[in-house]
Structures are given as structure tokens and as C-alpha cells.
Amino acid sequence: MVDLLHRALGLSDEEAAKIGDILKRTPNPLELAMYSVMWSEHCSYKSSRLHLSRLPTSAPWVLVGPGENAGVIDVGDGIAVAIRIESHNHPSAIEPYQGAATGVGGILRDIFTMGARPIALMDSLRFGSLDDAKSCWIAEGVVSGISGYGNAVGVPTVGGEIDFDSTFQGNPLVNVLCLGTLPKERLVLGRASGIGNLAVLLGSSTGRDGIGGVSVLASAGFSNQGDLEKRPSVQVGDPFEEKRLIEACLEIFDSNLVVGIQDLGGAGLTCATSETASRGGVGMDVDVSAVPQREPGMEAHEIMISESQERMLAIIEPSNLDSLFEICAKWEVNANVIGRVTEGDKLRILDRFDGNVLAEIPASSLHDDAPIYDRPKKKPEMNKTVPLEKLKVESDVLSDLLSLLSDPSWVYNQYDHQLFLNTVVGPGYDATVLKLRDPVSGLETNKGLAITTDGNHRWCAVNPRVGTKLIVAEGLMNLACVGAHPLALVNCLNFGNPENPQVMWELSESIDGMAEACKGFGIPVVGGNVSLYNESSGVNISPTPVVGLVGKIEELYRKPPGFELLEGNRLVLLGPSHIDVGGSLWSALHGLNSGGLIDVDLETHKVLADLVRSLVSDGIIDGIHDLSAGGLGVALAEMVAKSKFGITVARIPDALSFFGEGPSRVLVSINSENVNELLSRAESANIPTTRLGLVGGDRFIVKDLIDVPKETIDLAFSTKLPNVLGAGTVNA
């Protein structure tokens, strides 16, 4: 029976045999269930760990790198910042509202588990085409779930990105980033230590919701049939319980009551107990009868693998138990002793502390002994591309431009992005800027934090290595556009079925591109998430690595420029003229599979970022926008749509020049009195410049291409998403 059970639990015959070798006996059903969730793709990274080791992870300011609940960096003045990004793709495809909501809840716990107060959320969202009814239903539900949970728990969602493409039909991507601050001395790690210390379960009771949730769904693709059957695997969130849990935990940390703490996410109690024990080199006894249960008749395996939300596992000394109970009672948070730290390395599951042993497993084996696969890789046959100069496409430039414009404010207007009154530059710009406050006193430091999320599946579909380099480069430039130096990167690697050699090649190439860019820019990778098996009806999504970057602004005495266009300003393009249309937004609009992808010169990009950062910091420019998807045309239109004035731009020869994409290009709006200073600085840095035109009037004019009222641009920009998606209040 057990031999058949392991397959039903998603374990291969080889994996089941390895478990038998570790235990030196046949595992019982409970033990198999625990191994199945911990050795799942979501928890073990068995297809990606080999490749992730190539990423740079250290720097003098990195306090905690990959392997803990969140990365932590030192930002000076005794302040640290915790950052993490996670995916909740598969749950959101099945139950959009709860899938997205619990994704927010999980990432918040990753942050305050480290001792940090969460201060900001960002999301990176991708859905199927806007003309697909189900994709729109998923998008509305996801946005409502993010806003419903984040607003209720009291953490602002301050930015992000959203994209719609047929590659995500039936398999949306819901990636959520969270940032928190803490005094360095409050840093807490997820480790158990001290023989006889107690394991205390904090927060919500345990139910059958989420049994096998992300740990199972993350290893499953989707078909058009049977998705509803997976709904019981999606967790149900309670943001008000989460808020109480945050406040209780932070007070517990300030009172120095915990030895270690771990949130309960994927694989539930199995993960939390085994991770804390194995990190500390100790064992742990767990009494499943002491776990508060929401439903009657729950069996041991259900209790151990349930992914019910809003739960934490704290390791404390017995002498601190009463004090911990007192704080929990104050915040109306349940607290129950469910385990104790033991000698040796065994995780034992008991029906009572003095009762029967239901499972006995080396704690570290659930992590350290998880299989590592070097899966076959195969480079796909690449489509022959037509050189840019030979590409002939019938194009109505104005119609194309209007089709490519999309204002994301329909999304972020549903979020409260001003909570804590920290937000200096909010959503809708190259990067978000927050005031850096002292996490103890709340006083301003006159410094700032900048965060951005970036991804582009179209680039990576053409060349995953170069595409990923371009994504990292875009993130760096987005930070520079608000005057910030990069400090750290986190990633969310969204790919298809790793058992497909082409997908594994894409993943490996993408990681190598990220490693090359991060090493070249001096940016450490402090954490990440790998989401595989993103496929629908056997079709893999395009490779979609997403990065989140955090940077620091040393002096935040003025608001950084946004997309502001002031009447009489000059428009100047900084950076090289190299562009192409491979993987471009314009090519996707026309269904083209032509053109190449321009690689980024890392040194030139660094120099340009330094130049941009100095221009912003010194107040030389009035407006700025990094050129990315949609090229110069979309960047100009977005700046016009967010300003009061139109523009007149010198001749641009054709659609390819207008919409072509390439790295290291930044558009600035600058007072005529400062133009010479700009040009001089650019010349000294050996950065090419192109004078484009003037700001003023009420028309959008590009000589020989477009001449329309500014209102035409504004209307196309502002109405696309609201017209399709509505009010965004779906709770389905």
C-alpha cells in the first residue's frame, strides 16, 4: 500500500527508495506525506538548486542572504532592511481572490519573521489577453485579493507592474514583494536551540484549508478541466488575524523572548518544525494533539501538512512562557505549546508528549537530503530573424501607439499606498521612493529607500540570457532615475515544466544572465523564489524571470523628478542609439517573430546610471523616464499623459525607430538653462545625447509621424484597463 501511496503523493520510485535508505526502514504514511511536501518542487527547489548556486549572494552590507525567510541588508545608522519576493501563481489561477490574498499574507510573515516591520508591498502581475473573459475574471479577483488583504492588514502596496499576454492564458503570474525595516539588534533567525526549550504555535487554528496547497499546486500544471477540484488546496486568509500577529510578534521580539521563529507557509508545520530544528542542529518533539484544530477529526498528516494561514512557530525558553502568553493575550493571539527541543537530530511526531510516536525522521533529511536534479537541457531551434533594416511592416504609427498605451492606475488606485505617510514617489513611475524612518523612534533620517519590480517575458522568449540581463539593467536604471544606489536584488523565476529540456535550458540561461548582470553591477542576490510547472493544457509559459531591487537615497531633501513635463522644457535622450524590435512590445502587437535583441554593455550602463543618479540628486532635471517596453514612442506618450503639456519632437524616420527597444536609454525633460550642464556631464562620461524637441502646447507632435491633440494620448492611456476590467471588486 505504501508503495502505491508514494506515487499518489507525488514522490517518484527513486525518491521513495531514498527515503527508505535514510530511515533504514519502510516509511509509514505520515512520514511519506511529510517527505512529499518537503521534497516537492516548491519547497526543495530540486530542479533549480544546482543552478541557483551560480548567483552572487554576498556583499559587506548583506546581513542575511538566501536560505532564511528573507534577505536582510545593512543600510547604516543601526537600521536594517528585510526584503523578499514570492509567487502565488497556481493558487491564484484556481481561486484568484484567496490565492492573491494569501500570497500577500505569506510574504508579510516572511518579513516580520526576521524581526522587521513590513512597510511596503509591490506586485508583479501577468494575465492572459484582455480579450479573454476568464483572464479578466482572474485579473479582477487577484487585484481585489491583494487590495483586500493589504489594505486590511495596514501595509501599503506602493507599486509594481501588470501585463497581459496570451502566454499566461490559464496560468497567471502573481509575484508579490515585501519590504520591512528593523533595528539591527532585533534581527531574529529561524533556528531552534537549547535542549528543553519550547516550540509555541502562535496565531490561527489549523484546518483542512490549504492541505497540500502551494507545495502540491506548484508542481502541477493546469488543464481546462478539473481546476475546480483543486480549490480545497487554496488557503484562506484572515488579514485581521495577521495584523494582530504582526504586532504581537514585534512586541515579543522587543522583549527578547524568542530564541528563534519561523512562519508557517508551504508545507505548514512539517516545514516550520524541521527547518528550525535542522538549522539549529537539534531535534524536536511535536505533539499533534496540542495543535488547535479548526475542524473535528483531523488526522496527524492533515495537521502536519496543512497550510492554514496566519501561523508562526516560536522557540522560547520555558522561563519566558508566561511573558509570551501575556503579550499574546494582549493582542488576542492564540498561543499553544506544541513541541520541545530535544537532543540529537530527530523530528518526532507524537499523539501526546508522553504518548505514541507517529513519525520519526532526521529533521535535516527533509531539507539537506532532498534530491537535486541536473535535468537535461536542450537549446531550442531559434527562428531565423530578419535584420532590422530589411524588416518591412505596414504600420499606422498613431494606431500602434494608442494600442500600446495602458495606465496601471486602475490597479494601484485600489491599493492604499500612503499608509505610514512614507511614500514620496508612489506607483506608476520608474521606481517607488519611501522615507527611511528610524524603526524604533519613527523619526525621519532624511534618507530614502527605493524599490522596483521588473520583468519582460518577450525579451526572454527571444534570448533568456540576454533578456534577463536586460531586466536587471532596467531595474538598476529605474533606481537611478530616482537617485538611488542599488543594494540588493531578489528574484522570482517563473518558468514552465522543468522536465522539458527546453524549459530547463531557458531557466539555466536566465540564471546565468542574472549572475552576469549582478556581478557586473555589484548587486548581491539576497533571496528569491522559483516557480516551475507554469503551464496550461501542456503549453509552457514564456520564460518570465522577475526581479525586485532595493536601493538607498543618501540625501532625500527633495522629491525626485517623475515624468513631469514643464512648459518650455527641452527633451533630451541619453544613451546609445542601438535598437531592434526582437522581443519588443511593438513586434508582439503585430505578431512578428523578427528582429534581434540588443545586449547590454554592462560598463556603459553603469556609467549612464551614475550620470542619471547625479543629475537627479543635484536637481538638474525636471522629468525623467527610463526607456523600456515600447521604446521611445511609449516613453514620450506616458510622460505626456502624466503631464499638463504636449510636445513637439524632431523627425523620427519610421515606426521601427519610434518603437524599437534597446538598453541604456533614458529620456529627460530639462530647463533650457540647464541643457549645457547636462550635455557637458554626458560628454565627460562619454554618454551620447540626442536633442529631441520641446515641451509645450496641447498637441502630441512627432514630425512626419504623428500630430494629434494631447487629449487623444491621455484618453487612450487612461481608459484601456477600466473599460475592460471594470471596478475591480470581484470576490470569486
Side-chain angles (χ1 to χ4, degrees), residues 382-386 391 461-462 581-583 587-588 590-596:
M382 310 303 286
N383 294 312
K384 293 183 179 180
T385 61
V386 178
L391 190 62
V462 175
V581 293
S587 288
H590 288 279
L592 299 176
N593 195 12
S594 303

Side-chain angles (χ1 to χ4, degrees), residues 526-548:
V526 298
N529 169 248
V530 181
S531 175
L532 302 179
Y533 294 94
N534 289 288
E535 55 183 337
S536 181
S537 300
V539 179
N540 294 295
I541 66 164
S542 295
T544 311
V546 171
V547 301

Side-chain angles (χ1 to χ4, degrees), residues 47 92 119 141 243 702:
S47 298
S92 299
I119 64 168
K243 175 62 175 174
V702 181

Side-chain angles (χ1 to χ4, degrees), residues 156-204:
T157 301
V158 297
E161 53 172 1
I162 188 168
D163 201 354
F164 297 86
D165 191 280
S166 60
T167 191
F168 307 112
Q169 214 93 337
N171 197 125
L173 301 185
V174 180
N175 297 174
V176 182
L177 176 146
C178 188
L179 187 83
T181 58
L182 68 153
K184 283 173 60 177
E185 65 269 17
R186 197 167 70 195
L187 178 62
V188 185
L189 300 178
R191 296 176 184 174
S193 62
I195 308 307
N197 281 346
L198 304 175
V200 183
L201 185 62
L202 308 176
S204 185

Side-chain angles (χ1 to χ4, degrees), residues 682-705:
E683 184 179 10
S684 298
N686 201 30
I687 295 297
T689 57
T690 305
R691 300 195 194 201
L692 294 175
L694 297 171
V695 177
D698 59 0
R699 299 189 70 81
F700 185 96
I701 301 172
V702 181
K703 190 176 180 181
D704 296 338
L705 281 184

Side-chain angles (χ1 to χ4, degrees), residues 201-205 238-249 251-252 292 310-311 323-336:
L201 185 62
L202 308 176
S204 185
S205 56
D238 181 351
F240 303 104
E241 179 73 26
E242 182 102 339
K243 175 62 175 174
R244 293 192 295 268
L245 193 58
I246 291 173
E247 300 304 331
C249 285
E251 186 169 342
I252 289 167
E310 292 83 40
R311 299 181 298 161
S323 297
L324 182 140
F325 281 164
E326 185 177 337
I327 293 173
C328 288
K330 169 185 171 182
W331 291 103
E332 299 180 353
V333 169
N334 292 328
N336 295 271

